[in-house]
Amino acid sequence: ANDFRPLANSLSKHKTLKMLSVGDNALNETSGDLLADIIKTSRSLEVLNIRCNFIEGKGCVPLFSGLLENIKLNTICLRKNQLKNEGAQIIANYLKEPNSLLESLDLTSNNIGEEGGVTISK
């Protein structure tokens, strides 16, 4: 994930980026801060694909905080990460925010159990 920092720094300066796919890059929870910077500064970003990485629940905190500052991002693919119930709680809190604009959220294969599923559905 440390190798992601130079790319993330460069991408956070790109103001017209509409879609970012960084799947299968071994990103982990520390990458959440880097992704949040991209989300906050790339105001035109609409689609974010971070599938097949190692982002855990606590890595969602900065990621979803960044989403609150981006009015365009409407699609996120988090398929095959390691969010579990902790990540489900963070996502549920974000979805309750009045300025949550997500239209599509893929959480396939994240070991989100029944508790996490109930939390998100409320």
Side-chain angles (χ1 to χ4, degrees), residues 79-92:
R79 176 184 295 229
K80 290 191 177 180
N81 277 281
Q82 299 172 10
L83 303 180
K84 302 178 182 165
N85 288 332
E86 181 183 14
Q89 180 63 56
I90 293 161
I91 292 166

Side-chain angles (χ1 to χ4, degrees), residues 44-104:
S44 58
L45 190 64
E46 297 173 6
V47 177
L48 179 61
N49 177 358
I50 48 180
R51 68 179 179 80
C52 299
N53 282 293
F54 302 104
I55 297 173
E56 295 181 358
K58 57 187 165 187
C60 287
V61 173
L63 182 65
F64 281 88
S65 294
L67 277 174
L68 293 174
E69 297 183 35
N70 184 309
I71 60 169
K72 295 265 188 176
L73 189 60
N74 58 37
T75 302
I76 298 179
C77 178
L78 281 161
R79 176 184 295 229
K80 290 191 177 180
N81 277 281
Q82 299 172 10
L83 303 180
K84 302 178 182 165
N85 288 332
E86 181 183 14
Q89 180 63 56
I90 293 161
I91 292 166
N93 291 341
Y94 166 76
L95 293 173
K96 291 175 188 170
E97 292 289 331
N99 51 340
S100 166
L101 301 174
L102 278 184
E103 296 173 9
S104 176

